[in-house]
Amino acid sequence: MNRKKDKGFESPRPFKLTHQVVCINNINFQRKSVIGFVELTLFPTVVNLNRIKLNSKQCRIYRVRVNELEAPFIYNDPTLEVCHHESKQRNLNYFSSAYTAAVSAVDPDAGHGELVIKVPSELWKQGDDLKVLKVYIEFSLDQPKGGLHFVVPDVEGSMAERGAHVFSFGYQNSTRFWFPCVDSYSELCTWKLEFTVDASMIAVSCGDLVETIYTHDMRKKTFHYVLPIPTAAPNISLSVGPFEILVDPYMHEVTHFCLPQLLPLLKHSMSYLHEIFEFYEEILTCRYPYACFKTVFVDEAYVQVSSYASMSIFSTNLLHSAMIIDQTPQTRRCLAQALAQQFFGCFISRMSWADEWVLKGISGYIYGLYLKKTFGVNEYRHWIKEELDKIVDYELRMGGVLLHPTFSGGKEKDNPTPHLHFSIKHPHTLSWDYYKMFLCKAHLVMRLIENRISMEFMLQVFNKLLSLASTASSQKYQSHMWSQMLLSTHAFLKSISNVSGKDIGPLIKQWVDQSSVVKFFGSFAFNRKRNVLELEIRQDYTSAGTQKYVGPIKVTVQELDGSFNHTLQIEENSLKHDIPCHSKSRRNKKKKIPLMNGEEVDMDLSAMDADSPLLWIRIDPDMSILRKVEFEQADFMWQFQLRYERDVVAQEESISALEKFPTPASRLALTDILEQEQCFYKVRMQACFCLATIANAMVSTWQGPPAMKSLFTRMFCCKSCPNIVKTNNFINFQSYFLLKTMPVAMALLRDVQNLCPKDVLNFILDLIKYNDNRKNKFSDNYYRAELIEALTNSLTPAISISNEVRTVDNLNGDVRLILEEITRFLNMEKLLPSFRNTITVSCLKAVRQLQKNGHIPSDPSLFKSYAEYGHFVDVRVAALEALVDYTRVERCATELQWLLVMVQNDPTHYVRHKILGMLSKNPPFTKTSDSALCNEALVDQLWKLMNSGTSHDWRLRCDAVNLYYTLFGLTRPSCLPLPELGLVLNLKEKKAVLNPTIKPELGVGAGMDTAASIGIHGVGMSFTAVDEEPDPISLGVCGVGQPPQGLKRKAETPLGSPPEPGQILQQQDDDVRDVRGAGRYKIRFNTMEEEDIDMETVHDSQAFIHQHLNLLERPSTPGKEPLSVEQAMLSMPATPVPSFSKETTSSSSKHGGEHGGHHHHHHHHEHKKKKKKHKHKHKHKHKHESKEKERERDNSHAYSNSPASGRSLRSPSLSD
Amino acid sequence: MADPAVASGGSLHLGGVREVYNPAAMRFISATSKTHCFVPRSPPDISEIGRCAKAYCEHTARSLPTLPDTVVTLVEMGFNVDTLPVYAKRSQRMVITAPPVTNQPATPRALSAGQKRTHPSHIPSHFPEFPDPHTYIKTPTFREPVSDYQVVREKAASQRRDVERALTRFMAKTGETQSLFKDDVTAFPLIAARPTTIPYLSALLPSELELQTLEETDSSEQDDQTDSENATGNNISDDPGADKENSMLPPGGVAPAAKASEDNVIDNPYLRPVKKPKVRRKK
């Protein structure tokens, strides 16, 4: 709403980047290290540019020169450790705000960065004429944990023979992990990239390969790339490995790369890429913007698809041979996605994070058009429905997804999504699930826009954006045209209104500026007298994730005389809508009924209500609202809809509705659909499962053989011997998919004893037995995997006599047969592995199911061995999933530990991400349930994981946050010991007083949690006693209470308070004020958000953040009247935790200033003792001076100590 | 042809051998016929007596010899005919009794193989009967292969399953295993999961068995592919600058585009030769 109306792009930086050179001259696979330099060409945009902030993480920086002059620099990354590690804070609200603050502090979109370079004074004195600055930075990376991923198989041979490779990766803008840059999508520049690699390797990077030159010793070669199109640093990538090269036979400027031995697969998988190219170029009427395109397939990929300027990196697991059916559409989809992002995302970049939705939306939308063209309208509509269901489900469950967050000043706008446990202000703080839903919603909204303005206009808009960008891209920097290559929400909307002349403001307001979806409930009655359909559409707009919809809605009514569309207006208070019917209720015998598509069909209308001409009704059939519709109509209407409505979405909706009507008529309708060859195969597949559900509900009255059995026999078995399935021939894909699905659905059938019928089990076993693929052109691995899944589905809980140990002897006969099949499959897979080891995956799931149902002993060791690094990733994930499930069911602490250790140590990023994701989906316990697993050590471990253990991977950190949220909620975990307040009382008065705010009650607002977190510090006395480096705060407590013997007072206390009895009262007062102060700051922060950070007063952002966080983290002082403190806290307004913005010290009171100092000490404990002496002598007032000095010292220590920091030794301190 | 060494070696030249040895054989044959004439008559035997008696009888133009003929013969041979009755009536004459009549062993019935055929109509009935069928009708000594589809499928399925089971059991027995049960670790032995260094290779590449099946199912396509690969291979060898890596880049000649533009060589920067370092470019 408060969208910036200005056209141009305003850089947050005092300079413009025009060109960057990246030169990596050594890549050591053995040591997993990289050495190189970058050179950035900058144009200052202010007169006295004295500091340059760049982004860099992980890199060790050796020297920085600006125009050949050595320049001092500071390298500080506050996201390494979000809350400093001595903090005993354990509530997620606190962490989230601290994390957001840390990310903000180095956010390139706000002009910040981890690396601050001081421009030598010689240069800025003569800087009046805005001379070009060349910033040269030498850096190295040693065993990078993020940004670059090394895959080095542990075998004999040279690196090339081993298939060792390295590639860049990351979530959103993560290029700073592997070279210093301005890591923003909005800072464009041209690039020169040089990579010196082993002669047996190939370096693939962005832009055009100009030449490849051997080094003098002929053992290495240097790849020179030039990227003349202005590109943002996050769109730069690299992959190096002994790749096999395939020049696309249709487009010679497209080159594909894969790992050794996979060339045949590459050839096949890439054989249709040119069609995708042609499609996009045609609809966008625009040539592919880059001169070349490269696809690289790598192992252990971070995501399946990632697009960068003129190249895309894919997972090698997308490659497949011509024999594989199921993977083919998936791989094509991935390629299409990657290519769509080349146009929107790489070539056209986003202006700010708030504009991300436009680019993702457009690329998702044109990808959808490709799906429609390639896979057909049915597939497309099915996909749209699937995506819509997904987003609706997510939003109703988790709360709204906001596409275009605005953070402009307004107090309430500060946190547009208070229901979330993370901030959506930065891409790096988002939960991965949320981001996926964000992408999903973005393309759905684009489709809504298309519905409004027509596809033709939509494509014209895209064409216009691309033309503007390509004109701009060929210009020199000096023409100031480059910002045309950045797309903002505003520019996009303007372009739409220019091209179409339509106002889509309300639509944008509804779906883009506002989160949530619409939830409709519909019902109807037919008024026979008036011949009117009385439709009632209600909305639920009070539950989480819902919003109120006002506007038009389309309703399609199928009557006896035809199908009619009506557009109703949903208004504030109108629920009922009268729709006149066209047909008279009297039935025209033998008359065909015209359908929507003009087809005329005969229907058996006997089931129908004789008075009503209504066959079925659909609300919003075109899915032009992001909604969920719960519509009530009679079962025969759903059956008509299933049989005769030709839209797959309608068919799918009716199938899900029919689950509630287990009648013979439903059964017949479903069976008919199943048999109908013309019907879309995914509908038929869905019908299988619905039929199983219905059959189970009708179990007592079911007639004839088990559902689908005779159908299957007719479709797939031999004519002469109906119990034997035909030999496989998968040439007809539709029947192939049905063949795969039917046994799986049939296995869900249950008899009166709630067991899988013997017939069905034998039938499945026979399918396995008679499966014969010798004459088939295609691999049957997916089919076999589905058969195993069918076996799994047939399992029912074992009848157990108490808790007897499961042995071979008391194995049920049927289960024995199943187990034998599984054993054989699993063993055969070792000798003849199937594609993507699908069979092992299914077998592992089956084994887990057997364990879970009590047929075999529950034991994690099998899964553990399959989860180890060195198995195919799908197998590992399946095994890990089983382990996660085991952990939940058995509440096993050791397995949970094992999983968490793997999260920390596994070489594959995807696996780590997956483990956390699975743990969140299937948590061992939740915030609402008690568990023995929930203990202090686990809290600490997870806290550490998200606080510092995952600093190299944004996605992983957010996963950890997610898990923490799932396990403990937003507040302080209940398993932690009581905070000190209660304990102090306990010590002194021998009476335990529970602080009511400790209890994490979900109903309590976030503000309350904050209050608790301010007042209560999670340090139990007992904890302190074992802690090696006691929290200063807790020591303070000890001082007041009875200090335990042998406890060293080695840390200094906050507020510089030696625990002198006389000081206590005063201190407490301070504290109360502090607490109140914190409340006040909150408001101030908001108002001062726009204020830029001042380098002179705040020397490093980490200190800065800590300074502010300190306010929150301040412990309540030990006091004789803790209750008063409590009251103070409780009296605070229950406002959500503020998001801490960059802020000047001036906004904080003297207390804040004091706290600034103490936080630095955590970086260097060894100096604490010295300083303590110092401190004792000083009173409050003097501390300002000492603080300054200390901070300097702290800085220097912090930098030299920090593992990922560098500092120029020769250079003078920045603060000088 | 006349080379004796060759002739003696090969059965094909037997004719030659006969030629060489024929004269000797002739001589041998004539020699035997002469010796036959000089067979000594000293031990007069029954046949000689008969022959002479016959000769006497024929001499007198009769057809059947009579006793006087025999007597004359014996006389002629120098026997004293009068002693014959005395000899016959001698006292120590050995009487050979008739052999005891034993049970005639039942001649085993000839193994009847098949039905004896009667004469077809065109053969007159006086012709001999057909011999026993086994002499001219083949007797099947193996069972008719089962061609019933169901049985075949069943058999194939169980065979495959048996082979698979035996193989996996063997593998499980000879290697490390994992078990699902604690009480009986041999019950359902699972071949132990072993991490591989490059797991994606086995998971992605089709197994040899699958490739074989593919070849069987449509060899025509495969042929096409190899043809085109050869063609493109030639293309590449034309390029003198192509280094070793490049030689394994058949740009999939399947594309009509590539074939059409065979003359203009694909200009892809990754196919260009790596330059020698001459003068380092100044940065």
Side-chain angles (χ1 to χ4, degrees), chain A residues 154-155 194 211-212 214 225 245 252 255 294 725 769-771 774 779 807-808 821 824 827 836 865 870, chain B residues 149 153-154 157 160-161 164 178 183 189 191 196-197 200 203 210 213-214 249 268 270 275 277 283:
Chain A
D154 186 19
V155 274
E194 291 177 35
E211 55 185 353
T212 317
Y214 278 114
Y225 285 91
I245 306 172
H252 296 166
T255 320
K294 288 139 285 182
V725 68
K769 182 176 163 193
Y770 292 119
N771 177 40
R774 281 173 300 180
S779 168
T807 59
V808 183
E821 293 299 335
R824 193 170 50 85
N827 283 340
R836 295 194 76 153
S865 67
Chain B
Y149 184 74
R153 285 292 301 275
E154 197 136 355
R160 199 194 49 196
R161 170 173 304 220
E164 285 184 6
Q178 289 165 317
D183 57 331
I191 302 173
T196 48
T197 41
Y200 61 84
E210 281 178 307
T213 333
L214 198 69
L249 319 161
N268 184 294
Y270 294 94
K275 290 184 187 167
K283 287 252 68 250

Side-chain angles (χ1 to χ4, degrees), chain A residues 727-800:
Chain A
T727 54
N728 296 342
N729 182 5
F730 298 157
I731 204 84
N732 180 347
F733 292 160
Q734 273 115 34
S735 54
Y736 163 70
F737 281 106
L738 218 53
L739 171 73
K740 278 198 322 176
T741 311
M742 275 165 91
V744 180
M746 282 175 73
L748 293 169
L749 294 174
R750 295 291 179 265
D751 60 13
V752 256
Q753 280 100 39
N754 206 22
L755 297 172
C756 184
K758 191 90 180 155
D759 273 4
V760 173
L761 180 62
N762 288 339
F763 162 76
I764 296 166
L765 288 171
D766 272 354
L767 286 184
I768 293 174
K769 182 176 163 193
Y770 292 119
N771 177 40
D772 186 344
N773 205 49
R774 281 173 300 180
K775 296 272 178 286
N776 199 359
K777 195 176 156 185
F778 299 100
S779 168
D780 66 342
N781 62 310
Y782 284 94
Y783 172 57
R784 281 186 290 153
E786 296 280 301
L787 288 177
I788 299 165
E789 201 190 320
L791 287 180
T792 315
N793 278 354
S794 75
L795 291 172
T796 44
I799 307 142
S800 84

Side-chain angles (χ1 to χ4, degrees), chain A residues 745-935:
Chain A
M746 282 175 73
L748 293 169
L749 294 174
R750 295 291 179 265
D751 60 13
V752 256
Q753 280 100 39
N754 206 22
L755 297 172
C756 184
K758 191 90 180 155
D759 273 4
V760 173
L761 180 62
N762 288 339
F763 162 76
I764 296 166
L765 288 171
D766 272 354
L767 286 184
I768 293 174
K769 182 176 163 193
Y770 292 119
N771 177 40
D772 186 344
N773 205 49
R774 281 173 300 180
K775 296 272 178 286
N776 199 359
K777 195 176 156 185
F778 299 100
S779 168
D780 66 342
N781 62 310
Y782 284 94
Y783 172 57
R784 281 186 290 153
E786 296 280 301
L787 288 177
I788 299 165
E789 201 190 320
L791 287 180
T792 315
N793 278 354
S794 75
L795 291 172
T796 44
I799 307 142
S800 84
I801 311 148
S802 68
N803 276 336
E804 59 174 345
V805 184
R806 296 291 154 193
T807 59
V808 183
D809 298 331
N810 58 22
L811 202 59
N812 171 327
D814 288 345
V815 176
R816 186 179 284 271
L817 291 176
I818 294 176
L819 196 51
E820 231 159 71
E821 293 299 335
I822 290 168
T823 315
R824 193 170 50 85
F825 271 126
L826 201 50
N827 283 340
M828 276 309 288
E829 181 93 326
K830 300 283 186 310
L831 309 172
L832 287 173
S834 61
F835 178 71
R836 295 194 76 153
N837 295 346
T838 43
I839 291 168
T840 304
V841 170
S842 286
C843 286
L844 290 176
K845 286 181 181 156
V847 170
R848 178 63 201 142
Q849 201 61 27
L850 281 165
Q851 294 188 350
K852 232 168 129 177
N853 278 315
H855 295 292
I856 60 174
S858 200
D859 180 29
S861 55
L862 180 75
F863 304 123
K864 272 184 177 173
S865 67
Y866 280 97
E868 287 291 353
Y869 181 71
H871 290 283
F872 188 66
V873 64
D874 292 3
V875 172
R876 298 189 67 197
V877 170
L880 287 165
E881 198 170 6
L883 276 172
V884 167
D885 190 56
Y886 177 87
T887 311
R888 181 183 60 85
V889 174
E890 309 288 330
R891 295 166 183 265
C892 182
T894 49
E895 302 318 317
L896 186 59
Q897 262 324 303
W898 192 86
L899 287 169
L900 290 176
V901 166
M902 189 171 261
V903 168
Q904 277 153 306
N905 299 332
D906 198 78
T908 316
H909 294 275
Y910 176 74
V911 168
R912 297 197 213 179
H913 157 69
K914 216 54 196 160
I915 297 173
L916 286 178
M918 289 187 293
L919 277 174
S920 306
K921 275 215 181 71
N922 194 4
F925 59 91
T926 61
K927 47 192 177 277
T928 49
S929 68
D930 266 334
S931 169
L933 293 180
C934 176
N935 57 36

Side-chain angles (χ1 to χ4, degrees), chain A residues 620-742:
Chain A
D620 186 28
D622 296 334
M623 299 178 281
S624 45
I625 301 172
L626 303 184
R627 84 305 189 259
K628 180 191 180 84
V629 180
E630 284 179 19
F631 188 66
E632 286 172 27
Q633 59 182 1
D635 59 342
F636 67 84
M637 297 175 84
W638 288 120
Q639 287 152 14
F640 279 132
Q641 184 173 331
L642 174 59
R643 283 169 189 269
Y644 303 111
E645 172 62 65
R646 299 299 184 227
D647 178 10
V648 293
V649 176
Q651 291 171 352
E652 285 169 11
E653 277 167 0
S654 53
I655 289 176
S656 9
L658 280 177
E659 281 187 12
K660 290 177 218 96
F661 300 101
T663 61
S666 301
R667 174 185 172 182
L668 195 63
L670 287 166
T671 321
D672 287 350
I673 273 292
L674 252 180
E675 271 184 295
Q676 206 179 326
E677 299 261 322
Q678 292 93 331
C679 184
F680 183 50
Y681 74 98
K682 285 190 176 168
V683 172
R684 295 166 79 192
M685 285 159 74
Q686 201 191 334
C688 292
F689 289 100
C690 182
L691 201 53
T693 318
I694 284 187
N696 287 344
M698 293 169 67
V699 66
S700 51
T701 57
W702 188 265
Q703 302 282 321
M708 291 173 273
K709 174 116 188 283
S710 50
L711 206 63
F712 188 95
T713 310
R714 214 174 318 142
M715 291 166 82
F716 302 112
C717 291
C718 303
K719 296 281 175 293
S720 58
C721 35
N723 62 325
I724 295 181
V725 68
K726 286 181 198 158
T727 54
N728 296 342
N729 182 5
F730 298 157
I731 204 84
N732 180 347
F733 292 160
Q734 273 115 34
S735 54
Y736 163 70
F737 281 106
L738 218 53
L739 171 73
K740 278 198 322 176
T741 311
M742 275 165 91

Side-chain angles (χ1 to χ4, degrees), chain A residues 513-562:
Chain A
D513 291 336
Q514 202 174 325
S515 67
S516 310
V517 292
V518 183
K519 200 173 172 187
F520 288 123
F521 299 94
S523 60
F524 77 97
F526 176 66
N527 189 325
R528 195 181 158 195
K529 277 185 190 164
R530 294 166 57 209
N531 196 24
V532 154
L533 161 67
E534 294 169 356
L535 189 67
E536 185 182 319
I537 301 176
R538 282 171 295 121
Q539 285 188 53
D540 170 12
Y541 45 83
T542 47
S543 324
T546 56
Q547 58 164 299
K548 193 175 195 170
Y549 178 77
V550 174
I553 190 168
K554 190 169 148 192
V555 174
T556 304
V557 182
Q558 174 72 45
E559 300 176 34
L560 289 171
D561 286 358

Side-chain angles (χ1 to χ4, degrees), chain A residues 174 246 299 487 589 745 768 809 870 874 1064:
Chain A
S174 298
L246 171 67
D299 189 25
L487 187 53
K589 297 271 186 220
I768 293 174
D809 298 331
D874 292 3
I1064 293 167

